[in-house]
Amino acid sequence: KRIYVPCDTTALSMGADKVAKLIERHANARGLEIELVRNGSRGLFWLEPLVEVETDSGRIGFGPVEAHDVDALVDAGLFEGKSDHPLCLGMVEDISYLKLQQRLTFSRIGITDPLSIADYRSHGGFVGLEQAVSLSPQAIVDEVKASGLRGRGGAAFPTGIKWQTVHDEPWQQQKYIVCNADEGDSGTFADRLAMECDPYMLIEGMTIAGLAVGATQGFIYLRSEYPVAHRILNEAISRAEAEGYLGRDVRGSGRAFNLEVRLAAGAYICGEETSLLESLEGKRGLVRAKPPLPAIKGLFGQPTVVNNVLSFAAVPFILAKGGQTYAHYGMGKSRGTLPIQLAGNIRRGGLIELAFGVSLREILEDFGGGTFTGRPMKAVQVGGPLMAYMPQNQWDTPMDYEAFAQLGAGIGHGGVVVFDDTVDMGEQARFAMEFCTVESCGKCTPCRIGSVRGLEVIDRIRAGESPEANLVLLEELCETMVDGSLCAMGGMTPFPVQSVMKYFPDDLTA
Ligand code: NAI
């Protein structure tokens, strides 16, 4: 009998290891032969640890299971997968939070054993790579272009066009594939979940990118705060090498692709692609001026594809099922699906993959089920700490890059952080500037000095010192930072501040 207990960071932090041990002990004591599979999380975080028991009709879920629940669950029929225990959730696939999703990228997470290549293959894994091996590099790039995939790190630049730029650089030189796994946005965890629960998907996506542009070496620049992902990725890479999915001759293609993980050191700015490259080269993470674009002069001055984990992770599906199939989902110029991460003050936090076009309200209410505190929601920040706070009257906006941009907001990396009506939005505006003072790389003046001055001006406004004059000054300072900063750090820090000035002015001056 197969029993699943997740082994990703979220489940572990909720005591999954202890629960797994207790389940094994009970099985041994009863002389039951069970196969305990450490799967990844399904992304239904409020139910972790979510224990699943395989039955003839599918997987029955129990959760959230704490160590002290195990005895009673076993007595109530956990091993038989039939129980009227209050923690029994019925068929996992029938839980509406999961059932209503459109999982193209995250189709395997929570289902498979992350490190099992056999499991990965039996759930559609490596089909995209086998397909890519049979195609010309240009045909691979064309497939990605046809999918309409846009960079999921936040900037939403068309991935196929980025790959084309690197593809078109002369092939005699060394090129690189770099995965930005320095997931730094508040409330985001989709990269981590993908890496911990389905690491071969990222390996496959990066290998396909290598074949497409003629790069033989890839690096995953991994957030140092992700030790579980670090262990899983390294193990997955060595298993993939052993089975010929990486290395000197990828699947008999005669083409090489090698992959290494590099640990970051905890700087938010190193998620910006040019400081990331500096850091990867062993230097301090200072932003480089663009142009030249990394696609032309990137790592060690060579043509480099830099993409986020989720962009690479979308590629195996696109190659396996065709770009058109992926493009069939979504709206306008936002094609495919978006892995949305629901966090902050929310009752049911977790990962929700849906086609673009779903409204923010549907995510907050139908999936999130309102706030964790039960109080009314006041503001939502989508896309990380550099994006606008959105008031109630904007929540019917569909998840679409252009629709959000029109409001001066952004989708970014898909993180949704919820605040209830006790939040002090003036404090949130202050936090945006303070965050920039701490995280700025210091290279350009508007960001380095502007954020410090911005913090001081906000403090004066909140202390009631000439609020009108200081509000004008703050607005001017914000404009200078937007126009004059070298990268998105200083260039976008004003967005949350300006949104507070516009939509929650009373909180700022209170
Ligand atoms: P960007 O707009 O400057 O560039 C986007 C990407 O397209 C870059 O990789 C750039 O090199 C590439 N590109 C642009 N023109 C190109 C061309 N003609 N050919 C080939 N490639 C081209 O945006 P940037 O500064 O890279 O990213 C800003 C975004 O980062 C923000 O919108 C924010 O949402 C996001 N962000 C994400 C975080 C996370 O944790 N995921 C953290 C902080 C910010």
Side-chain angles (χ1 to χ4, degrees), residues 178-185 220-225 262-288 306-307 435 438-441 487 489:
V178 171
C179 174
N180 185 343
D182 196 38
E183 187 169 47
D185 274 357
I220 301 172
Y221 187 82
L222 180 69
R223 185 178 167 80
S224 61
E225 295 88 337
R262 288 281 188 275
L263 263 196
Y268 181 74
I269 196 60
C270 286
E272 194 284 330
E273 61 176 359
T274 63
S275 10
L276 184 157
L277 294 174
E278 288 284 299
S279 169
L280 210 46
E281 291 177 9
K283 299 179 216 145
R284 186 174 146 196
L286 283 183
V287 169
R288 296 178 189 169
V306 185
N307 274 140
F435 184 72
V438 175
E439 297 293 347
S440 171
C441 81
C487 82
M489 177 86 237

mmCIF file of all heavy atoms in Angstrom, residues 178-185 220-225 262-288 306-307 435 438-441 487 489:
data_model
loop_
_atom_site.group_PDB
_atom_site.id
_atom_site.type_symbol
_atom_site.label_atom_id
_atom_site.label_comp_id
_atom_site.label_asym_id
_atom_site.label_seq_id
_atom_site.Cartn_x
_atom_site.Cartn_y
_atom_site.Cartn_z
ATOM 1 N N VAL A 178 21.291 30.556 -17.807
ATOM 2 C CA VAL A 178 21.287 30.850 -16.377
ATOM 3 C C VAL A 178 19.848 30.887 -15.874
ATOM 4 O O VAL A 178 18.994 31.569 -16.437
ATOM 5 C CB VAL A 178 21.991 32.196 -16.081
ATOM 6 C CG1 VAL A 178 21.782 32.601 -14.623
ATOM 7 C CG2 VAL A 178 23.482 32.095 -16.394
ATOM 8 N N CYS A 179 19.603 30.130 -14.823
ATOM 9 C CA CYS A 179 18.273 30.141 -14.223
ATOM 10 C C CYS A 179 18.281 31.036 -12.992
ATOM 11 O O CYS A 179 19.066 30.820 -12.062
ATOM 12 C CB CYS A 179 17.867 28.723 -13.827
ATOM 13 S SG CYS A 179 16.314 28.721 -12.926
ATOM 14 N N ASN A 180 17.422 32.020 -13.010
ATOM 15 C CA ASN A 180 17.274 32.902 -11.861
ATOM 16 C C ASN A 180 16.333 32.226 -10.853
ATOM 17 O O ASN A 180 15.118 32.211 -11.034
ATOM 18 C CB ASN A 180 16.722 34.251 -12.324
ATOM 19 C CG ASN A 180 16.656 35.270 -11.200
ATOM 20 O OD1 ASN A 180 16.713 34.901 -10.028
ATOM 21 N ND2 ASN A 180 16.534 36.531 -11.561
ATOM 22 N N ALA A 181 16.952 31.639 -9.832
ATOM 23 C CA ALA A 181 16.172 30.962 -8.785
ATOM 24 C C ALA A 181 16.390 31.693 -7.462
ATOM 25 O O ALA A 181 16.366 31.083 -6.397
ATOM 26 C CB ALA A 181 16.590 29.494 -8.685
ATOM 27 N N ASP A 182 16.609 33.009 -7.556
ATOM 28 C CA ASP A 182 16.828 33.827 -6.357
ATOM 29 C C ASP A 182 15.509 34.466 -5.949
ATOM 30 O O ASP A 182 15.431 35.670 -5.710
ATOM 31 C CB ASP A 182 17.890 34.896 -6.644
ATOM 32 C CG ASP A 182 18.445 35.509 -5.365
ATOM 33 O OD1 ASP A 182 18.611 34.764 -4.396
ATOM 34 O OD2 ASP A 182 18.705 36.726 -5.351
ATOM 35 N N GLU A 183 14.493 33.656 -5.902
ATOM 36 C CA GLU A 183 13.109 34.108 -5.653
ATOM 37 C C GLU A 183 13.034 35.008 -4.409
ATOM 38 O O GLU A 183 13.000 34.523 -3.287
ATOM 39 C CB GLU A 183 12.250 32.853 -5.443
ATOM 40 C CG GLU A 183 10.775 33.101 -5.336
ATOM 41 C CD GLU A 183 9.997 31.776 -5.397
ATOM 42 O OE1 GLU A 183 10.373 30.824 -4.702
ATOM 43 O OE2 GLU A 183 9.007 31.708 -6.163
ATOM 44 N N GLY A 184 12.989 36.324 -4.662
ATOM 45 C CA GLY A 184 13.084 37.242 -3.535
ATOM 46 C C GLY A 184 11.805 37.981 -3.210
ATOM 47 O O GLY A 184 11.700 38.630 -2.164
ATOM 48 N N ASP A 185 10.821 37.939 -4.087
ATOM 49 C CA ASP A 185 9.600 38.704 -3.850
ATOM 50 C C ASP A 185 8.857 38.199 -2.623
ATOM 51 O O ASP A 185 8.753 36.986 -2.410
ATOM 52 C CB ASP A 185 8.661 38.598 -5.063
ATOM 53 C CG ASP A 185 8.982 39.637 -6.116
ATOM 54 O OD1 ASP A 185 9.876 40.465 -5.886
ATOM 55 O OD2 ASP A 185 8.322 39.617 -7.175
ATOM 56 N N ILE A 220 22.188 27.214 -12.180
ATOM 57 C CA ILE A 220 20.996 27.604 -11.424
ATOM 58 C C ILE A 220 21.490 28.466 -10.268
ATOM 59 O O ILE A 220 22.247 27.986 -9.413
ATOM 60 C CB ILE A 220 20.234 26.374 -10.890
ATOM 61 C CG1 ILE A 220 19.802 25.465 -12.048
ATOM 62 C CG2 ILE A 220 19.011 26.813 -10.068
ATOM 63 C CD1 ILE A 220 19.207 24.127 -11.605
ATOM 64 N N TYR A 221 21.121 29.733 -10.272
ATOM 65 C CA TYR A 221 21.515 30.648 -9.197
ATOM 66 C C TYR A 221 20.428 30.577 -8.134
ATOM 67 O O TYR A 221 19.359 31.151 -8.283
ATOM 68 C CB TYR A 221 21.677 32.065 -9.748
ATOM 69 C CG TYR A 221 22.239 33.052 -8.754
ATOM 70 C CD1 TYR A 221 23.614 33.149 -8.523
ATOM 71 C CD2 TYR A 221 21.401 33.913 -8.045
ATOM 72 C CE1 TYR A 221 24.133 34.064 -7.620
ATOM 73 C CE2 TYR A 221 21.912 34.831 -7.144
ATOM 74 C CZ TYR A 221 23.276 34.899 -6.939
ATOM 75 O OH TYR A 221 23.784 35.821 -6.041
ATOM 76 N N LEU A 222 20.719 29.834 -7.077
ATOM 77 C CA LEU A 222 19.683 29.476 -6.107
ATOM 78 C C LEU A 222 19.765 30.295 -4.829
ATOM 79 O O LEU A 222 20.831 30.427 -4.229
ATOM 80 C CB LEU A 222 19.820 27.980 -5.755
ATOM 81 C CG LEU A 222 18.809 27.450 -4.741
ATOM 82 C CD1 LEU A 222 17.407 27.409 -5.329
ATOM 83 C CD2 LEU A 222 19.217 26.058 -4.251
ATOM 84 N N ARG A 223 18.627 30.798 -4.426
ATOM 85 C CA ARG A 223 18.471 31.512 -3.159
ATOM 86 C C ARG A 223 19.040 30.676 -2.014
ATOM 87 O O ARG A 223 18.688 29.497 -1.867
ATOM 88 C CB ARG A 223 16.974 31.733 -2.981
ATOM 89 C CG ARG A 223 16.534 32.539 -1.819
ATOM 90 C CD ARG A 223 15.019 32.665 -1.890
ATOM 91 N NE ARG A 223 14.493 33.160 -0.639
ATOM 92 C CZ ARG A 223 14.491 34.435 -0.273
ATOM 93 N NH1 ARG A 223 14.949 35.351 -1.096
ATOM 94 N NH2 ARG A 223 14.010 34.811 0.889
ATOM 95 N N SER A 224 19.906 31.282 -1.211
ATOM 96 C CA SER A 224 20.584 30.494 -0.157
ATOM 97 C C SER A 224 19.614 30.037 0.928
ATOM 98 O O SER A 224 19.900 29.105 1.665
ATOM 99 C CB SER A 224 21.711 31.316 0.465
ATOM 100 O OG SER A 224 21.167 32.477 1.065
ATOM 101 N N GLU A 225 18.453 30.704 0.991
ATOM 102 C CA GLU A 225 17.482 30.329 2.033
ATOM 103 C C GLU A 225 16.695 29.076 1.646
ATOM 104 O O GLU A 225 15.753 28.697 2.354
ATOM 105 C CB GLU A 225 16.500 31.482 2.266
ATOM 106 C CG GLU A 225 17.127 32.750 2.843
ATOM 107 C CD GLU A 225 17.650 33.699 1.776
ATOM 108 O OE1 GLU A 225 17.950 33.243 0.644
ATOM 109 O OE2 GLU A 225 17.768 34.902 2.061
ATOM 110 N N ARG A 262 24.548 27.101 -8.130
ATOM 111 C CA ARG A 262 25.384 28.051 -7.380
ATOM 112 C C ARG A 262 24.521 28.706 -6.315
ATOM 113 O O ARG A 262 23.418 29.166 -6.627
ATOM 114 C CB ARG A 262 25.915 29.143 -8.309
ATOM 115 C CG ARG A 262 26.978 28.678 -9.255
ATOM 116 C CD ARG A 262 28.333 28.600 -8.525
ATOM 117 N NE ARG A 262 29.393 28.333 -9.459
ATOM 118 C CZ ARG A 262 29.739 27.120 -9.877
ATOM 119 N NH1 ARG A 262 29.096 26.066 -9.430
ATOM 120 N NH2 ARG A 262 30.729 26.961 -10.725
ATOM 121 N N LEU A 263 25.037 28.750 -5.104
ATOM 122 C CA LEU A 263 24.246 29.328 -4.019
ATOM 123 C C LEU A 263 24.428 30.837 -3.941
ATOM 124 O O LEU A 263 25.554 31.347 -3.975
ATOM 125 C CB LEU A 263 24.683 28.731 -2.692
ATOM 126 C CG LEU A 263 23.878 27.566 -2.129
ATOM 127 C CD1 LEU A 263 24.214 27.380 -0.661
ATOM 128 C CD2 LEU A 263 22.368 27.755 -2.303
ATOM 129 N N ALA A 264 23.328 31.554 -3.835
ATOM 130 C CA ALA A 264 23.370 33.001 -3.641
ATOM 131 C C ALA A 264 23.724 33.286 -2.181
ATOM 132 O O ALA A 264 23.947 32.365 -1.402
ATOM 133 C CB ALA A 264 22.008 33.578 -3.988
ATOM 134 N N ALA A 265 23.756 34.574 -1.836
ATOM 135 C CA ALA A 265 24.165 34.902 -0.459
ATOM 136 C C ALA A 265 23.168 35.815 0.243
ATOM 137 O O ALA A 265 23.506 36.530 1.170
ATOM 138 C CB ALA A 265 25.556 35.513 -0.479
ATOM 139 N N GLY A 266 21.930 35.819 -0.228
ATOM 140 C CA GLY A 266 20.901 36.511 0.529
ATOM 141 C C GLY A 266 20.661 37.965 0.175
ATOM 142 O O GLY A 266 20.095 38.711 0.969
ATOM 143 N N ALA A 267 21.106 38.409 -1.009
ATOM 144 C CA ALA A 267 20.856 39.795 -1.414
ATOM 145 C C ALA A 267 19.685 39.848 -2.397
ATOM 146 O O ALA A 267 19.715 39.175 -3.416
ATOM 147 C CB ALA A 267 22.099 40.386 -2.071
ATOM 148 N N TYR A 268 18.683 40.644 -2.073
ATOM 149 C CA TYR A 268 17.519 40.778 -2.962
ATOM 150 C C TYR A 268 17.957 41.242 -4.352
ATOM 151 O O TYR A 268 17.467 40.753 -5.367
ATOM 152 C CB TYR A 268 16.535 41.786 -2.359
ATOM 153 C CG TYR A 268 15.269 42.016 -3.159
ATOM 154 C CD1 TYR A 268 14.255 41.063 -3.181
ATOM 155 C CD2 TYR A 268 15.082 43.201 -3.872
ATOM 156 C CE1 TYR A 268 13.089 41.283 -3.903
ATOM 157 C CE2 TYR A 268 13.914 43.427 -4.592
ATOM 158 C CZ TYR A 268 12.913 42.463 -4.608
ATOM 159 O OH TYR A 268 11.765 42.680 -5.319
ATOM 160 N N ILE A 269 18.913 42.149 -4.393
ATOM 161 C CA ILE A 269 19.321 42.744 -5.679
ATOM 162 C C ILE A 269 19.936 41.690 -6.610
ATOM 163 O O ILE A 269 19.942 41.852 -7.823
ATOM 164 C CB ILE A 269 20.294 43.935 -5.451
ATOM 165 C CG1 ILE A 269 20.406 44.807 -6.721
ATOM 166 C CG2 ILE A 269 21.667 43.479 -5.009
ATOM 167 C CD1 ILE A 269 19.120 45.418 -7.202
ATOM 168 N N CYS A 270 20.450 40.616 -6.064
ATOM 169 C CA CYS A 270 21.048 39.581 -6.920
ATOM 170 C C CYS A 270 19.994 38.782 -7.674
ATOM 171 O O CYS A 270 20.320 37.907 -8.482
ATOM 172 C CB CYS A 270 21.992 38.689 -6.127
ATOM 173 S SG CYS A 270 23.527 39.559 -5.756
ATOM 174 N N GLY A 271 18.718 39.093 -7.461
ATOM 175 C CA GLY A 271 17.671 38.556 -8.327
ATOM 176 C C GLY A 271 17.535 39.394 -9.587
ATOM 177 O O GLY A 271 16.898 38.964 -10.554
ATOM 178 N N GLU A 272 18.133 40.578 -9.583
ATOM 179 C CA GLU A 272 18.174 41.402 -10.810
ATOM 180 C C GLU A 272 19.220 40.763 -11.702
ATOM 181 O O GLU A 272 20.327 40.453 -11.247
ATOM 182 C CB GLU A 272 18.527 42.852 -10.430
ATOM 183 C CG GLU A 272 18.274 43.875 -11.518
ATOM 184 C CD GLU A 272 19.309 43.847 -12.626
ATOM 185 O OE1 GLU A 272 20.494 43.495 -12.358
ATOM 186 O OE2 GLU A 272 18.961 44.159 -13.771
ATOM 187 N N GLU A 273 18.876 40.567 -12.974
ATOM 188 C CA GLU A 273 19.712 39.680 -13.790
ATOM 189 C C GLU A 273 21.175 40.093 -13.921
ATOM 190 O O GLU A 273 22.046 39.229 -13.944
ATOM 191 C CB GLU A 273 19.091 39.481 -15.181
ATOM 192 C CG GLU A 273 18.939 40.749 -15.986
ATOM 193 C CD GLU A 273 18.413 40.483 -17.397
ATOM 194 O OE1 GLU A 273 18.182 39.323 -17.761
ATOM 195 O OE2 GLU A 273 18.248 41.472 -18.141
ATOM 196 N N THR A 274 21.462 41.398 -13.989
ATOM 197 C CA THR A 274 22.874 41.762 -14.189
ATOM 198 C C THR A 274 23.682 41.627 -12.897
ATOM 199 O O THR A 274 24.842 41.214 -12.926
ATOM 200 C CB THR A 274 23.019 43.180 -14.786
ATOM 201 O OG1 THR A 274 22.486 44.143 -13.871
ATOM 202 C CG2 THR A 274 22.319 43.292 -16.132
ATOM 203 N N SER A 275 23.074 41.945 -11.736
ATOM 204 C CA SER A 275 23.840 41.707 -10.492
ATOM 205 C C SER A 275 23.975 40.225 -10.229
ATOM 206 O O SER A 275 24.968 39.779 -9.657
ATOM 207 C CB SER A 275 23.262 42.396 -9.259
ATOM 208 O OG SER A 275 22.051 42.923 -9.460
ATOM 209 N N LEU A 276 22.972 39.473 -10.663
ATOM 210 C CA LEU A 276 23.055 38.015 -10.548
ATOM 211 C C LEU A 276 24.285 37.510 -11.314
ATOM 212 O O LEU A 276 25.058 36.693 -10.815
ATOM 213 C CB LEU A 276 21.771 37.397 -11.099
ATOM 214 C CG LEU A 276 21.549 35.892 -11.017
ATOM 215 C CD1 LEU A 276 20.067 35.585 -11.088
ATOM 216 C CD2 LEU A 276 22.261 35.127 -12.101
ATOM 217 N N LEU A 277 24.459 38.033 -12.521
ATOM 218 C CA LEU A 277 25.600 37.589 -13.335
ATOM 219 C C LEU A 277 26.918 37.987 -12.674
ATOM 220 O O LEU A 277 27.874 37.205 -12.645
ATOM 221 C CB LEU A 277 25.501 38.181 -14.748
ATOM 222 C CG LEU A 277 24.310 37.668 -15.580
ATOM 223 C CD1 LEU A 277 24.212 38.423 -16.912
ATOM 224 C CD2 LEU A 277 24.406 36.168 -15.828
ATOM 225 N N GLU A 278 26.967 39.204 -12.123
ATOM 226 C CA GLU A 278 28.177 39.642 -11.405
ATOM 227 C C GLU A 278 28.470 38.668 -10.261
ATOM 228 O O GLU A 278 29.594 38.220 -10.092
ATOM 229 C CB GLU A 278 27.969 41.043 -10.819
ATOM 230 C CG GLU A 278 27.945 42.163 -11.836
ATOM 231 C CD GLU A 278 29.326 42.518 -12.358
ATOM 232 O OE1 GLU A 278 30.193 42.927 -11.565
ATOM 233 O OE2 GLU A 278 29.536 42.373 -13.588
ATOM 234 N N SER A 279 27.426 38.358 -9.495
ATOM 235 C CA SER A 279 27.585 37.464 -8.349
ATOM 236 C C SER A 279 28.045 36.081 -8.794
ATOM 237 O O SER A 279 28.935 35.473 -8.193
ATOM 238 C CB SER A 279 26.257 37.399 -7.591
ATOM 239 O OG SER A 279 26.268 36.392 -6.636
ATOM 240 N N LEU A 280 27.478 35.618 -9.890
ATOM 241 C CA LEU A 280 27.841 34.311 -10.437
ATOM 242 C C LEU A 280 29.305 34.294 -10.890
ATOM 243 O O LEU A 280 29.978 33.262 -10.853
ATOM 244 C CB LEU A 280 26.918 34.015 -11.626
ATOM 245 C CG LEU A 280 26.531 32.587 -11.984
ATOM 246 C CD1 LEU A 280 26.120 31.777 -10.795
ATOM 247 C CD2 LEU A 280 25.397 32.609 -13.013
ATOM 248 N N GLU A 281 29.800 35.458 -11.296
ATOM 249 C CA GLU A 281 31.205 35.553 -11.709
ATOM 250 C C GLU A 281 32.126 35.711 -10.502
ATOM 251 O O GLU A 281 33.334 35.882 -10.656
ATOM 252 C CB GLU A 281 31.393 36.747 -12.659
ATOM 253 C CG GLU A 281 30.736 36.544 -14.022
ATOM 254 C CD GLU A 281 30.876 37.758 -14.934
ATOM 255 O OE1 GLU A 281 31.624 38.696 -14.597
ATOM 256 O OE2 GLU A 281 30.218 37.765 -15.990
ATOM 257 N N GLY A 282 31.543 35.709 -9.311
ATOM 258 C CA GLY A 282 32.356 35.786 -8.099
ATOM 259 C C GLY A 282 32.577 37.204 -7.618
ATOM 260 O O GLY A 282 33.409 37.457 -6.745
ATOM 261 N N LYS A 283 31.844 38.158 -8.171
ATOM 262 C CA LYS A 283 32.031 39.553 -7.761
ATOM 263 C C LYS A 283 30.870 40.019 -6.890
ATOM 264 O O LYS A 283 29.879 39.318 -6.722
ATOM 265 C CB LYS A 283 32.110 40.441 -9.011
ATOM 266 C CG LYS A 283 33.257 40.083 -9.922
ATOM 267 C CD LYS A 283 33.231 41.009 -11.124
ATOM 268 C CE LYS A 283 33.658 40.297 -12.375
ATOM 269 N NZ LYS A 283 32.955 40.755 -13.548
ATOM 270 N N ARG A 284 31.018 41.246 -6.380
ATOM 271 C CA ARG A 284 29.944 41.836 -5.585
ATOM 272 C C ARG A 284 28.735 42.077 -6.487
ATOM 273 O O ARG A 284 28.889 42.451 -7.655
ATOM 274 C CB ARG A 284 30.457 43.159 -5.015
ATOM 275 C CG ARG A 284 29.526 43.811 -4.059
ATOM 276 C CD ARG A 284 30.222 45.023 -3.453
ATOM 277 N NE ARG A 284 29.229 46.056 -3.212
ATOM 278 C CZ ARG A 284 29.531 47.319 -2.990
ATOM 279 N NH1 ARG A 284 30.787 47.711 -3.003
ATOM 280 N NH2 ARG A 284 28.580 48.185 -2.748
ATOM 281 N N GLY A 285 27.530 41.890 -5.954
ATOM 282 C CA GLY A 285 26.319 41.976 -6.768
ATOM 283 C C GLY A 285 25.902 43.388 -7.116
ATOM 284 O O GLY A 285 24.869 43.873 -6.643
ATOM 285 N N LEU A 286 26.682 44.050 -7.955
ATOM 286 C CA LEU A 286 26.339 45.398 -8.420
ATOM 287 C C LEU A 286 25.647 45.303 -9.765
ATOM 288 O O LEU A 286 26.063 44.525 -10.631
ATOM 289 C CB LEU A 286 27.602 46.238 -8.592
ATOM 290 C CG LEU A 286 28.278 46.801 -7.340
ATOM 291 C CD1 LEU A 286 29.475 47.653 -7.750
ATOM 292 C CD2 LEU A 286 27.301 47.639 -6.515
ATOM 293 N N VAL A 287 24.616 46.154 -9.943
ATOM 294 C CA VAL A 287 23.882 46.160 -11.211
ATOM 295 C C VAL A 287 24.787 46.667 -12.347
ATOM 296 O O VAL A 287 25.587 47.563 -12.147
ATOM 297 C CB VAL A 287 22.640 47.081 -11.055
ATOM 298 C CG1 VAL A 287 21.983 47.345 -12.386
ATOM 299 C CG2 VAL A 287 21.648 46.458 -10.076
ATOM 300 N N ARG A 288 24.648 46.041 -13.520
ATOM 301 C CA ARG A 288 25.346 46.543 -14.717
ATOM 302 C C ARG A 288 24.368 47.391 -15.523
ATOM 303 O O ARG A 288 23.168 47.100 -15.516
ATOM 304 C CB ARG A 288 25.755 45.396 -15.647
ATOM 305 C CG ARG A 288 26.747 44.431 -15.099
ATOM 306 C CD ARG A 288 26.974 43.327 -16.163
ATOM 307 N NE ARG A 288 27.781 42.241 -15.608
ATOM 308 C CZ ARG A 288 27.953 41.079 -16.215
ATOM 309 N NH1 ARG A 288 27.362 40.826 -17.386
ATOM 310 N NH2 ARG A 288 28.706 40.139 -15.675
ATOM 311 N N VAL A 306 19.010 34.362 -19.609
ATOM 312 C CA VAL A 306 18.667 34.395 -18.180
ATOM 313 C C VAL A 306 17.149 34.340 -18.093
ATOM 314 O O VAL A 306 16.459 35.216 -18.594
ATOM 315 C CB VAL A 306 19.159 35.679 -17.471
ATOM 316 C CG1 VAL A 306 18.886 35.585 -15.967
ATOM 317 C CG2 VAL A 306 20.627 35.940 -17.727
ATOM 318 N N ASN A 307 16.639 33.286 -17.502
ATOM 319 C CA ASN A 307 15.188 33.153 -17.307
ATOM 320 C C ASN A 307 14.896 32.711 -15.886
ATOM 321 O O ASN A 307 15.730 32.073 -15.237
ATOM 322 C CB ASN A 307 14.592 32.104 -18.265
ATOM 323 C CG ASN A 307 14.218 32.650 -19.637
ATOM 324 O OD1 ASN A 307 14.426 32.006 -20.665
ATOM 325 N ND2 ASN A 307 13.653 33.847 -19.674
ATOM 326 N N PHE A 435 12.794 49.190 2.643
ATOM 327 C CA PHE A 435 13.272 47.979 1.973
ATOM 328 C C PHE A 435 14.359 48.351 0.955
ATOM 329 O O PHE A 435 15.398 47.705 0.857
ATOM 330 C CB PHE A 435 12.087 47.286 1.282
ATOM 331 C CG PHE A 435 12.425 45.974 0.638
ATOM 332 C CD1 PHE A 435 12.677 44.857 1.412
ATOM 333 C CD2 PHE A 435 12.480 45.855 -0.746
ATOM 334 C CE1 PHE A 435 12.991 43.639 0.812
ATOM 335 C CE2 PHE A 435 12.790 44.639 -1.355
ATOM 336 C CZ PHE A 435 13.043 43.527 -0.567
ATOM 337 N N VAL A 438 17.715 49.238 2.444
ATOM 338 C CA VAL A 438 18.472 48.061 2.887
ATOM 339 C C VAL A 438 19.011 47.269 1.699
ATOM 340 O O VAL A 438 20.141 46.786 1.714
ATOM 341 C CB VAL A 438 17.573 47.138 3.759
ATOM 342 C CG1 VAL A 438 18.297 45.857 4.135
ATOM 343 C CG2 VAL A 438 17.111 47.874 5.007
ATOM 344 N N GLU A 439 18.200 47.157 0.648
ATOM 345 C CA GLU A 439 18.538 46.218 -0.432
ATOM 346 C C GLU A 439 19.214 46.856 -1.657
ATOM 347 O O GLU A 439 19.677 46.150 -2.548
ATOM 348 C CB GLU A 439 17.279 45.463 -0.881
ATOM 349 C CG GLU A 439 16.654 44.593 0.219
ATOM 350 C CD GLU A 439 17.526 43.402 0.624
ATOM 351 O OE1 GLU A 439 18.493 43.085 -0.085
ATOM 352 O OE2 GLU A 439 17.230 42.805 1.681
ATOM 353 N N SER A 440 19.239 48.194 -1.730
ATOM 354 C CA SER A 440 19.872 48.847 -2.888
ATOM 355 C C SER A 440 21.325 48.404 -3.014
ATOM 356 O O SER A 440 22.022 48.262 -2.010
ATOM 357 C CB SER A 440 19.822 50.372 -2.700
ATOM 358 O OG SER A 440 20.596 50.996 -3.698
ATOM 359 N N CYS A 441 21.782 48.195 -4.250
ATOM 360 C CA CYS A 441 23.189 47.805 -4.434
ATOM 361 C C CYS A 441 24.099 49.013 -4.275
ATOM 362 O O CYS A 441 25.304 48.872 -4.112
ATOM 363 C CB CYS A 441 23.406 47.122 -5.775
ATOM 364 S SG CYS A 441 23.590 48.226 -7.201
ATOM 365 N N CYS A 487 18.076 50.280 -12.380
ATOM 366 C CA CYS A 487 17.319 49.033 -12.553
ATOM 367 C C CYS A 487 15.985 49.128 -11.837
ATOM 368 O O CYS A 487 15.627 50.161 -11.273
ATOM 369 C CB CYS A 487 18.132 47.827 -12.061
ATOM 370 S SG CYS A 487 18.050 47.558 -10.274
ATOM 371 N N MET A 489 14.986 48.026 -9.076
ATOM 372 C CA MET A 489 14.983 48.207 -7.613
ATOM 373 C C MET A 489 14.590 49.648 -7.263
ATOM 374 O O MET A 489 13.572 49.882 -6.612
ATOM 375 C CB MET A 489 16.371 47.869 -7.059
ATOM 376 C CG MET A 489 16.531 48.086 -5.579
ATOM 377 S SD MET A 489 16.015 46.669 -4.611
ATOM 378 C CE MET A 489 14.783 47.372 -3.550
#
